[in-house]
Amino acid sequence: MTNSLSSKKQSQDQPEISGPTPKSHRTTMGKSEDNEKKNLGKKLRDVEISVPIVYGNIAFWLGKKASEYQSHKWTLYVRGGNNDDLGVIVKRAVFQLHSSFSNPTRVVETPPFELSESGWGEFEIAITLHFHSDVCDKPLNLYHHLKLYPEDENSTMSTKRPVVVESYDEIVFPDPSEAFLARVQNHPAVNLPRLPAGFTLPPPIPVEDASKRRRGDTKDHPLNQWFMNFSEADELLQLAAARQQVQAHIAKLRRQISLIDGQHQQLKSSSDQ
């Protein structure tokens, strides 16, 4: 386990956003052959269902009086892109912690899919998402590097301002079954596809009484105030800013090369005289 530092300076009431600029991914799940054999209804060819997810961790420093080996309390999680309940898609999540932890393989069977621990070291965590049988019979493997410390070594550690690092992913399920579509068509965590012309949605599956349904979303989560927001507009702005930085760096290198070439020509002219 390591104690490498990571993040940018923030104002006193903002989280330390750790690591590089968050990147957006789009993961397409392989088509399930087993589901073809199960009586899950007709497959919808050339149709995709997508589910945005965010996975990462929030870590709080426990202060100078904390134990050397219990310096931070952290929460690792997988949440819906808009904090919606992922239980409609995900059956269980398996978190593989460092071997130094008691019972390092943690299985979370119900949403929200998260766990909290304390410690001092940073390490890579494997996250495996298992889906309901009508969704996909192949699990999705994700990897997250637990971050506890701010990146900037000059950044002051605070017990009130956590280090936050998250990644965004959009999970795509191609050729879903009618049963899958019928079950999730009214669920906010799922992005419905543009259906073929003339296709009629199957009748939605009745949802149990909301008063009896366990809430699995993270809209009212105690850590919600620290969750990051992901949007295409923000990503485009980040890409534009990165492009400007690259162009400025290229222009600087060209000026340096031109200056070196000029000095070389002067030296050559002097030696020829």
Side-chain angles (χ1 to χ4, degrees):
M1 294 190 292
T2 66
N3 274 333
S4 59
L5 304 181
S6 132
S7 200
K8 300 178 180 178
K9 287 186 178 180
Q10 304 288 326
S11 65
Q12 189 63 29
D13 59 348
Q14 290 180 323
E16 296 281 357
I17 307 303
S18 177
T21 301
K23 296 181 180 179
S24 299
H25 301 276
R26 195 169 190 264
T27 302
T28 301
M29 300 301 297
K31 298 178 182 179
S32 172
E33 297 179 358
D34 289 347
N35 277 357
E36 296 281 0
K37 301 174 183 178
K38 298 174 184 177
N39 187 21
L40 297 177
K42 179 183 177 182
K43 285 284 187 178
L44 305 177
R45 303 299 178 185
D46 301 321
V47 171
E48 293 181 342
I49 288 178
S50 64
V51 181
I53 67 168
V54 174
Y55 57 98
N57 77 267
I58 295 177
F60 285 90
W61 180 49
L62 298 179
K64 296 180 180 180
K65 295 182 180 181
S67 164
E68 178 183 359
Y69 298 106
Q70 302 290 325
S71 61
H72 289 75
K73 182 177 181 180
W74 50 266
T75 298
L76 174 72
Y77 49 85
V78 180
R79 62 182 177 88
N82 295 312
N83 291 310
D84 296 305
D85 184 359
L86 288 178
V88 70
I89 301 295
V90 179
K91 183 177 181 180
R92 66 179 179 276
V94 180
F95 301 94
Q96 186 64 48
L97 305 184
H98 191 271
S99 59
S100 61
F101 282 83
S102 174
N103 183 27
T105 302
R106 309 290 178 86
V107 181
V108 181
E109 299 281 359
T110 57
F113 298 103
E114 64 181 32
L115 64 88
S116 295
E117 267 291 356
S118 58
W120 61 272
E122 299 179 341
F123 54 92
E124 186 174 65
I125 299 174
I127 306 171
T128 303
L129 300 182
H130 297 267
F131 305 102
H132 293 291
S133 59
D134 62 345
V135 177
C136 183
D137 60 359
K138 299 177 181 179
L140 173 62
N141 295 313
L142 305 169
Y143 297 92
H144 172 71
H145 189 81
L146 178 71
K147 298 299 295 182
L148 306 182
Y149 302 89
E151 182 176 355
D152 188 348
E153 295 183 3
N154 296 320
S155 178
T156 303
M157 294 180 64
S158 169
T159 57
K160 297 181 179 179
R161 187 178 66 250
V163 169
V164 181
V165 58
E166 294 186 334
S167 297
Y168 175 93
D169 201 336
E170 185 177 334
I171 311 174
V172 179
F173 301 96
D175 299 350
S177 67
E178 285 188 347
F180 177 21
L181 183 58
R183 189 170 62 81
V184 303
Q185 62 178 281
N186 293 325
H187 200 284
V190 178
N191 293 331
L192 287 182
R194 179 177 297 177
L195 298 174
F199 180 83
T200 303
L201 283 171
I205 296 176
V207 179
E208 64 177 324
D209 186 353
S211 63
K212 299 180 181 178
R213 185 175 56 194
R214 181 185 185 279
R215 289 192 63 183
D217 64 48
T218 51
K219 291 182 173 64
D220 297 322
H221 196 285
L223 297 176
N224 181 278
Q225 63 175 312
W226 307 115
F227 290 159
M228 299 169 64
N229 295 319
F230 294 84
S231 71
E232 291 185 1
D234 289 341
E235 189 171 358
L236 289 173
L237 288 174
Q238 292 169 358
L239 290 173
R243 183 177 182 181
Q244 289 181 347
Q245 291 179 357
V246 171
Q247 290 175 337
H249 188 60
I250 291 174
K252 180 180 179 180
L253 290 176
R254 284 176 174 171
R255 290 194 298 269
Q256 292 176 343
I257 292 173
S258 178
L259 179 61
I260 293 172
D261 286 342
Q263 294 173 343
H264 178 72
Q265 288 296 331
Q266 289 179 355
L267 289 173
K268 185 176 180 182
S269 299
S270 299
S271 62
D272 291 340
Q273 291 177 356

PDB file of all heavy atoms in Angstrom, residues 60-87:
ATOM      1  N   PHE A  60     -12.051  10.939   4.231  1.00  0.00           N
ATOM      2  CA  PHE A  60     -11.916  11.995   5.223  1.00  0.00           C
ATOM      3  C   PHE A  60     -10.703  11.717   6.112  1.00  0.00           C
ATOM      4  O   PHE A  60     -10.553  10.614   6.639  1.00  0.00           O
ATOM      5  CB  PHE A  60     -13.169  12.077   6.106  1.00  0.00           C
ATOM      6  CG  PHE A  60     -14.355  12.705   5.436  1.00  0.00           C
ATOM      7  CD1 PHE A  60     -15.249  11.920   4.725  1.00  0.00           C
ATOM      8  CD2 PHE A  60     -14.582  14.072   5.519  1.00  0.00           C
ATOM      9  CE1 PHE A  60     -16.349  12.482   4.104  1.00  0.00           C
ATOM     10  CE2 PHE A  60     -15.681  14.650   4.907  1.00  0.00           C
ATOM     11  CZ  PHE A  60     -16.572  13.859   4.194  1.00  0.00           C
ATOM     12  N   TRP A  61      -9.871  12.734   6.265  1.00  0.00           N
ATOM     13  CA  TRP A  61      -8.763  12.648   7.213  1.00  0.00           C
ATOM     14  C   TRP A  61      -9.327  12.787   8.622  1.00  0.00           C
ATOM     15  O   TRP A  61     -10.172  13.638   8.892  1.00  0.00           O
ATOM     16  CB  TRP A  61      -7.762  13.762   6.931  1.00  0.00           C
ATOM     17  CG  TRP A  61      -6.571  13.784   7.832  1.00  0.00           C
ATOM     18  CD1 TRP A  61      -5.761  12.727   8.144  1.00  0.00           C
ATOM     19  CD2 TRP A  61      -6.049  14.926   8.520  1.00  0.00           C
ATOM     20  NE1 TRP A  61      -4.760  13.126   8.992  1.00  0.00           N
ATOM     21  CE2 TRP A  61      -4.904  14.478   9.247  1.00  0.00           C
ATOM     22  CE3 TRP A  61      -6.413  16.261   8.600  1.00  0.00           C
ATOM     23  CZ2 TRP A  61      -4.152  15.326  10.042  1.00  0.00           C
ATOM     24  CZ3 TRP A  61      -5.658  17.124   9.382  1.00  0.00           C
ATOM     25  CH2 TRP A  61      -4.543  16.656  10.096  1.00  0.00           C
ATOM     26  N   LEU A  62      -8.877  11.942   9.537  1.00  0.00           N
ATOM     27  CA  LEU A  62      -9.424  11.915  10.895  1.00  0.00           C
ATOM     28  C   LEU A  62      -8.699  12.846  11.856  1.00  0.00           C
ATOM     29  O   LEU A  62      -9.044  12.904  13.037  1.00  0.00           O
ATOM     30  CB  LEU A  62      -9.394  10.482  11.433  1.00  0.00           C
ATOM     31  CG  LEU A  62     -10.245   9.481  10.637  1.00  0.00           C
ATOM     32  CD1 LEU A  62     -10.137   8.086  11.245  1.00  0.00           C
ATOM     33  CD2 LEU A  62     -11.703   9.925  10.563  1.00  0.00           C
ATOM     34  N   GLY A  63      -7.710  13.560  11.365  1.00  0.00           N
ATOM     35  CA  GLY A  63      -7.056  14.552  12.201  1.00  0.00           C
ATOM     36  C   GLY A  63      -5.741  14.083  12.803  1.00  0.00           C
ATOM     37  O   GLY A  63      -5.376  12.903  12.727  1.00  0.00           O
ATOM     38  N   LYS A  64      -5.027  15.015  13.421  1.00  0.00           N
ATOM     39  CA  LYS A  64      -3.705  14.732  13.970  1.00  0.00           C
ATOM     40  C   LYS A  64      -3.735  13.737  15.133  1.00  0.00           C
ATOM     41  O   LYS A  64      -2.737  13.072  15.417  1.00  0.00           O
ATOM     42  CB  LYS A  64      -3.048  16.031  14.432  1.00  0.00           C
ATOM     43  CG  LYS A  64      -2.774  17.008  13.288  1.00  0.00           C
ATOM     44  CD  LYS A  64      -2.125  18.286  13.798  1.00  0.00           C
ATOM     45  CE  LYS A  64      -1.846  19.253  12.655  1.00  0.00           C
ATOM     46  NZ  LYS A  64      -1.217  20.515  13.137  1.00  0.00           N
ATOM     47  N   LYS A  65      -4.872  13.648  15.818  1.00  0.00           N
ATOM     48  CA  LYS A  65      -4.964  12.752  16.968  1.00  0.00           C
ATOM     49  C   LYS A  65      -5.322  11.320  16.576  1.00  0.00           C
ATOM     50  O   LYS A  65      -5.381  10.436  17.427  1.00  0.00           O
ATOM     51  CB  LYS A  65      -5.999  13.285  17.963  1.00  0.00           C
ATOM     52  CG  LYS A  65      -5.612  14.617  18.592  1.00  0.00           C
ATOM     53  CD  LYS A  65      -6.646  15.072  19.607  1.00  0.00           C
ATOM     54  CE  LYS A  65      -6.252  16.400  20.241  1.00  0.00           C
ATOM     55  NZ  LYS A  65      -7.248  16.853  21.253  1.00  0.00           N
ATOM     56  N   ALA A  66      -5.568  11.118  15.281  1.00  0.00           N
ATOM     57  CA  ALA A  66      -5.947   9.780  14.820  1.00  0.00           C
ATOM     58  C   ALA A  66      -4.755   8.835  14.868  1.00  0.00           C
ATOM     59  O   ALA A  66      -3.592   9.257  14.836  1.00  0.00           O
ATOM     60  CB  ALA A  66      -6.493   9.860  13.395  1.00  0.00           C
ATOM     61  N   SER A  67      -5.046   7.559  14.925  1.00  0.00           N
ATOM     62  CA  SER A  67      -4.004   6.539  14.908  1.00  0.00           C
ATOM     63  C   SER A  67      -3.242   6.580  13.583  1.00  0.00           C
ATOM     64  O   SER A  67      -3.813   6.880  12.530  1.00  0.00           O
ATOM     65  CB  SER A  67      -4.638   5.152  15.094  1.00  0.00           C
ATOM     66  OG  SER A  67      -3.740   4.129  14.736  1.00  0.00           O
ATOM     67  N   GLU A  68      -1.962   6.273  13.636  1.00  0.00           N
ATOM     68  CA  GLU A  68      -1.127   6.271  12.431  1.00  0.00           C
ATOM     69  C   GLU A  68      -1.674   5.323  11.377  1.00  0.00           C
ATOM     70  O   GLU A  68      -1.581   5.587  10.175  1.00  0.00           O
ATOM     71  CB  GLU A  68       0.305   5.880  12.809  1.00  0.00           C
ATOM     72  CG  GLU A  68       1.255   5.792  11.615  1.00  0.00           C
ATOM     73  CD  GLU A  68       2.637   5.338  12.022  1.00  0.00           C
ATOM     74  OE1 GLU A  68       2.855   5.113  13.240  1.00  0.00           O
ATOM     75  OE2 GLU A  68       3.492   5.184  11.135  1.00  0.00           O
ATOM     76  N   TYR A  69      -2.237   4.205  11.824  1.00  0.00           N
ATOM     77  CA  TYR A  69      -2.727   3.201  10.886  1.00  0.00           C
ATOM     78  C   TYR A  69      -4.227   3.311  10.631  1.00  0.00           C
ATOM     79  O   TYR A  69      -4.801   2.514   9.890  1.00  0.00           O
ATOM     80  CB  TYR A  69      -2.389   1.797  11.406  1.00  0.00           C
ATOM     81  CG  TYR A  69      -0.899   1.588  11.530  1.00  0.00           C
ATOM     82  CD1 TYR A  69      -0.280   1.583  12.780  1.00  0.00           C
ATOM     83  CD2 TYR A  69      -0.111   1.424  10.400  1.00  0.00           C
ATOM     84  CE1 TYR A  69       1.096   1.410  12.897  1.00  0.00           C
ATOM     85  CE2 TYR A  69       1.258   1.238  10.503  1.00  0.00           C
ATOM     86  CZ  TYR A  69       1.863   1.242  11.745  1.00  0.00           C
ATOM     87  OH  TYR A  69       3.216   1.082  11.848  1.00  0.00           O
ATOM     88  N   GLN A  70      -4.874   4.264  11.253  1.00  0.00           N
ATOM     89  CA  GLN A  70      -6.294   4.533  11.018  1.00  0.00           C
ATOM     90  C   GLN A  70      -6.466   6.035  10.796  1.00  0.00           C
ATOM     91  O   GLN A  70      -7.254   6.693  11.452  1.00  0.00           O
ATOM     92  CB  GLN A  70      -7.145   4.065  12.207  1.00  0.00           C
ATOM     93  CG  GLN A  70      -7.006   2.590  12.540  1.00  0.00           C
ATOM     94  CD  GLN A  70      -7.629   1.705  11.470  1.00  0.00           C
ATOM     95  OE1 GLN A  70      -8.651   2.054  10.875  1.00  0.00           O
ATOM     96  NE2 GLN A  70      -7.028   0.556  11.225  1.00  0.00           N
ATOM     97  N   SER A  71      -5.719   6.559   9.841  1.00  0.00           N
ATOM     98  CA  SER A  71      -5.675   8.004   9.638  1.00  0.00           C
ATOM     99  C   SER A  71      -6.856   8.542   8.839  1.00  0.00           C
ATOM    100  O   SER A  71      -7.147   9.735   8.897  1.00  0.00           O
ATOM    101  CB  SER A  71      -4.373   8.388   8.917  1.00  0.00           C
ATOM    102  OG  SER A  71      -4.311   7.762   7.633  1.00  0.00           O
ATOM    103  N   HIS A  72      -7.521   7.673   8.087  1.00  0.00           N
ATOM    104  CA  HIS A  72      -8.621   8.111   7.221  1.00  0.00           C
ATOM    105  C   HIS A  72      -9.822   7.175   7.333  1.00  0.00           C
ATOM    106  O   HIS A  72      -9.665   5.971   7.559  1.00  0.00           O
ATOM    107  CB  HIS A  72      -8.190   8.138   5.749  1.00  0.00           C
ATOM    108  CG  HIS A  72      -7.228   9.237   5.416  1.00  0.00           C
ATOM    109  ND1 HIS A  72      -5.904   9.198   5.777  1.00  0.00           N
ATOM    110  CD2 HIS A  72      -7.419  10.408   4.746  1.00  0.00           C
ATOM    111  CE1 HIS A  72      -5.307  10.296   5.339  1.00  0.00           C
ATOM    112  NE2 HIS A  72      -6.199  11.043   4.711  1.00  0.00           N
ATOM    113  N   LYS A  73     -10.988   7.763   7.157  1.00  0.00           N
ATOM    114  CA  LYS A  73     -12.202   6.979   6.968  1.00  0.00           C
ATOM    115  C   LYS A  73     -12.655   7.221   5.541  1.00  0.00           C
ATOM    116  O   LYS A  73     -12.736   8.364   5.089  1.00  0.00           O
ATOM    117  CB  LYS A  73     -13.296   7.407   7.945  1.00  0.00           C
ATOM    118  CG  LYS A  73     -14.574   6.569   7.801  1.00  0.00           C
ATOM    119  CD  LYS A  73     -15.620   6.962   8.842  1.00  0.00           C
ATOM    120  CE  LYS A  73     -16.870   6.089   8.677  1.00  0.00           C
ATOM    121  NZ  LYS A  73     -17.926   6.439   9.678  1.00  0.00           N
ATOM    122  N   TRP A  74     -12.925   6.140   4.821  1.00  0.00           N
ATOM    123  CA  TRP A  74     -13.286   6.294   3.419  1.00  0.00           C
ATOM    124  C   TRP A  74     -14.482   5.435   3.049  1.00  0.00           C
ATOM    125  O   TRP A  74     -14.784   4.432   3.699  1.00  0.00           O
ATOM    126  CB  TRP A  74     -12.104   5.974   2.503  1.00  0.00           C
ATOM    127  CG  TRP A  74     -11.389   4.669   2.763  1.00  0.00           C
ATOM    128  CD1 TRP A  74     -10.279   4.479   3.528  1.00  0.00           C
ATOM    129  CD2 TRP A  74     -11.735   3.372   2.234  1.00  0.00           C
ATOM    130  NE1 TRP A  74      -9.902   3.153   3.516  1.00  0.00           N
ATOM    131  CE2 TRP A  74     -10.772   2.456   2.732  1.00  0.00           C
ATOM    132  CE3 TRP A  74     -12.730   2.905   1.400  1.00  0.00           C
ATOM    133  CZ2 TRP A  74     -10.798   1.101   2.402  1.00  0.00           C
ATOM    134  CZ3 TRP A  74     -12.769   1.550   1.066  1.00  0.00           C
ATOM    135  CH2 TRP A  74     -11.801   0.675   1.575  1.00  0.00           C
ATOM    136  N   THR A  75     -15.186   5.888   2.013  1.00  0.00           N
ATOM    137  CA  THR A  75     -16.332   5.159   1.475  1.00  0.00           C
ATOM    138  C   THR A  75     -16.107   4.931  -0.013  1.00  0.00           C
ATOM    139  O   THR A  75     -15.807   5.874  -0.756  1.00  0.00           O
ATOM    140  CB  THR A  75     -17.640   5.931   1.688  1.00  0.00           C
ATOM    141  OG1 THR A  75     -17.870   6.103   3.093  1.00  0.00           O
ATOM    142  CG2 THR A  75     -18.823   5.181   1.085  1.00  0.00           C
ATOM    143  N   LEU A  76     -16.228   3.696  -0.414  1.00  0.00           N
ATOM    144  CA  LEU A  76     -16.108   3.289  -1.817  1.00  0.00           C
ATOM    145  C   LEU A  76     -17.503   2.957  -2.329  1.00  0.00           C
ATOM    146  O   LEU A  76     -18.294   2.346  -1.612  1.00  0.00           O
ATOM    147  CB  LEU A  76     -15.198   2.062  -1.918  1.00  0.00           C
ATOM    148  CG  LEU A  76     -15.050   1.391  -3.277  1.00  0.00           C
ATOM    149  CD1 LEU A  76     -14.220   2.248  -4.215  1.00  0.00           C
ATOM    150  CD2 LEU A  76     -14.404   0.010  -3.103  1.00  0.00           C
ATOM    151  N   TYR A  77     -17.817   3.335  -3.561  1.00  0.00           N
ATOM    152  CA  TYR A  77     -19.198   3.157  -4.017  1.00  0.00           C
ATOM    153  C   TYR A  77     -19.303   3.071  -5.536  1.00  0.00           C
ATOM    154  O   TYR A  77     -18.407   3.488  -6.281  1.00  0.00           O
ATOM    155  CB  TYR A  77     -20.064   4.329  -3.537  1.00  0.00           C
ATOM    156  CG  TYR A  77     -19.451   5.691  -3.812  1.00  0.00           C
ATOM    157  CD1 TYR A  77     -19.615   6.326  -5.036  1.00  0.00           C
ATOM    158  CD2 TYR A  77     -18.680   6.325  -2.835  1.00  0.00           C
ATOM    159  CE1 TYR A  77     -19.036   7.553  -5.285  1.00  0.00           C
ATOM    160  CE2 TYR A  77     -18.102   7.554  -3.081  1.00  0.00           C
ATOM    161  CZ  TYR A  77     -18.280   8.171  -4.307  1.00  0.00           C
ATOM    162  OH  TYR A  77     -17.692   9.387  -4.559  1.00  0.00           O
ATOM    163  N   VAL A  78     -20.436   2.517  -5.949  1.00  0.00           N
ATOM    164  CA  VAL A  78     -20.899   2.585  -7.335  1.00  0.00           C
ATOM    165  C   VAL A  78     -22.300   3.161  -7.263  1.00  0.00           C
ATOM    166  O   VAL A  78     -23.166   2.621  -6.569  1.00  0.00           O
ATOM    167  CB  VAL A  78     -20.936   1.197  -8.012  1.00  0.00           C
ATOM    168  CG1 VAL A  78     -21.429   1.327  -9.464  1.00  0.00           C
ATOM    169  CG2 VAL A  78     -19.563   0.540  -7.972  1.00  0.00           C
ATOM    170  N   ARG A  79     -22.545   4.263  -7.943  1.00  0.00           N
ATOM    171  CA  ARG A  79     -23.854   4.913  -7.888  1.00  0.00           C
ATOM    172  C   ARG A  79     -24.357   5.207  -9.290  1.00  0.00           C
ATOM    173  O   ARG A  79     -23.579   5.180 -10.267  1.00  0.00           O
ATOM    174  CB  ARG A  79     -23.773   6.216  -7.079  1.00  0.00           C
ATOM    175  CG  ARG A  79     -22.838   7.270  -7.660  1.00  0.00           C
ATOM    176  CD  ARG A  79     -22.781   8.500  -6.770  1.00  0.00           C
ATOM    177  NE  ARG A  79     -21.842   9.511  -7.254  1.00  0.00           N
ATOM    178  CZ  ARG A  79     -22.138  10.474  -8.127  1.00  0.00           C
ATOM    179  NH1 ARG A  79     -23.374  10.547  -8.636  1.00  0.00           N
ATOM    180  NH2 ARG A  79     -21.229  11.357  -8.507  1.00  0.00           N
ATOM    181  N   GLY A  80     -25.640   5.497  -9.402  1.00  0.00           N
ATOM    182  CA  GLY A  80     -26.198   5.886 -10.679  1.00  0.00           C
ATOM    183  C   GLY A  80     -25.663   7.234 -11.104  1.00  0.00           C
ATOM    184  O   GLY A  80     -25.340   8.093 -10.274  1.00  0.00           O
ATOM    185  N   GLY A  81     -25.560   7.453 -12.423  1.00  0.00           N
ATOM    186  CA  GLY A  81     -25.020   8.705 -12.927  1.00  0.00           C
ATOM    187  C   GLY A  81     -25.778   9.919 -12.434  1.00  0.00           C
ATOM    188  O   GLY A  81     -25.201  10.987 -12.263  1.00  0.00           O
ATOM    189  N   ASN A  82     -27.076   9.749 -12.188  1.00  0.00           N
ATOM    190  CA  ASN A  82     -27.900  10.824 -11.628  1.00  0.00           C
ATOM    191  C   ASN A  82     -28.392  10.462 -10.231  1.00  0.00           C
ATOM    192  O   ASN A  82     -29.445  10.928  -9.790  1.00  0.00           O
ATOM    193  CB  ASN A  82     -29.093  11.107 -12.549  1.00  0.00           C
ATOM    194  CG  ASN A  82     -28.652  11.649 -13.901  1.00  0.00           C
ATOM    195  OD1 ASN A  82     -27.840  12.570 -13.969  1.00  0.00           O
ATOM    196  ND2 ASN A  82     -29.180  11.077 -14.979  1.00  0.00           N
ATOM    197  N   ASN A  83     -27.626   9.591  -9.570  1.00  0.00           N
ATOM    198  CA  ASN A  83     -27.951   9.122  -8.215  1.00  0.00           C
ATOM    199  C   ASN A  83     -29.227   8.293  -8.150  1.00  0.00           C
ATOM    200  O   ASN A  83     -29.862   8.202  -7.108  1.00  0.00           O
ATOM    201  CB  ASN A  83     -28.033  10.302  -7.238  1.00  0.00           C
ATOM    202  CG  ASN A  83     -26.680  10.934  -6.990  1.00  0.00           C
ATOM    203  OD1 ASN A  83     -25.714  10.248  -6.691  1.00  0.00           O
ATOM    204  ND2 ASN A  83     -26.608  12.244  -7.138  1.00  0.00           N
ATOM    205  N   ASP A  84     -29.604   7.675  -9.282  1.00  0.00           N
ATOM    206  CA  ASP A  84     -30.782   6.813  -9.291  1.00  0.00           C
ATOM    207  C   ASP A  84     -30.419   5.405  -8.833  1.00  0.00           C
ATOM    208  O   ASP A  84     -29.252   5.007  -8.829  1.00  0.00           O
ATOM    209  CB  ASP A  84     -31.388   6.762 -10.701  1.00  0.00           C
ATOM    210  CG  ASP A  84     -31.908   8.120 -11.139  1.00  0.00           C
ATOM    211  OD1 ASP A  84     -32.725   8.687 -10.401  1.00  0.00           O
ATOM    212  OD2 ASP A  84     -31.498   8.607 -12.210  1.00  0.00           O
ATOM    213  N   ASP A  85     -31.426   4.647  -8.451  1.00  0.00           N
ATOM    214  CA  ASP A  85     -31.253   3.303  -7.905  1.00  0.00           C
ATOM    215  C   ASP A  85     -30.741   2.351  -8.986  1.00  0.00           C
ATOM    216  O   ASP A  85     -31.410   2.119  -9.991  1.00  0.00           O
ATOM    217  CB  ASP A  85     -32.602   2.818  -7.365  1.00  0.00           C
ATOM    218  CG  ASP A  85     -32.511   1.473  -6.681  1.00  0.00           C
ATOM    219  OD1 ASP A  85     -31.411   0.889  -6.639  1.00  0.00           O
ATOM    220  OD2 ASP A  85     -33.558   1.003  -6.189  1.00  0.00           O
ATOM    221  N   LEU A  86     -29.557   1.778  -8.775  1.00  0.00           N
ATOM    222  CA  LEU A  86     -28.983   0.839  -9.737  1.00  0.00           C
ATOM    223  C   LEU A  86     -29.460  -0.593  -9.521  1.00  0.00           C
ATOM    224  O   LEU A  86     -29.098  -1.485 -10.281  1.00  0.00           O
ATOM    225  CB  LEU A  86     -27.449   0.871  -9.662  1.00  0.00           C
ATOM    226  CG  LEU A  86     -26.756   2.112 -10.221  1.00  0.00           C
ATOM    227  CD1 LEU A  86     -25.249   1.994 -10.024  1.00  0.00           C
ATOM    228  CD2 LEU A  86     -27.080   2.292 -11.701  1.00  0.00           C
ATOM    229  N   GLY A  87     -30.266  -0.804  -8.477  1.00  0.00           N
ATOM    230  CA  GLY A  87     -30.735  -2.163  -8.190  1.00  0.00           C
ATOM    231  C   GLY A  87     -31.589  -2.750  -9.301  1.00  0.00           C
ATOM    232  O   GLY A  87     -31.735  -3.961  -9.381  1.00  0.00           O
TER     233      GLY A  87
END
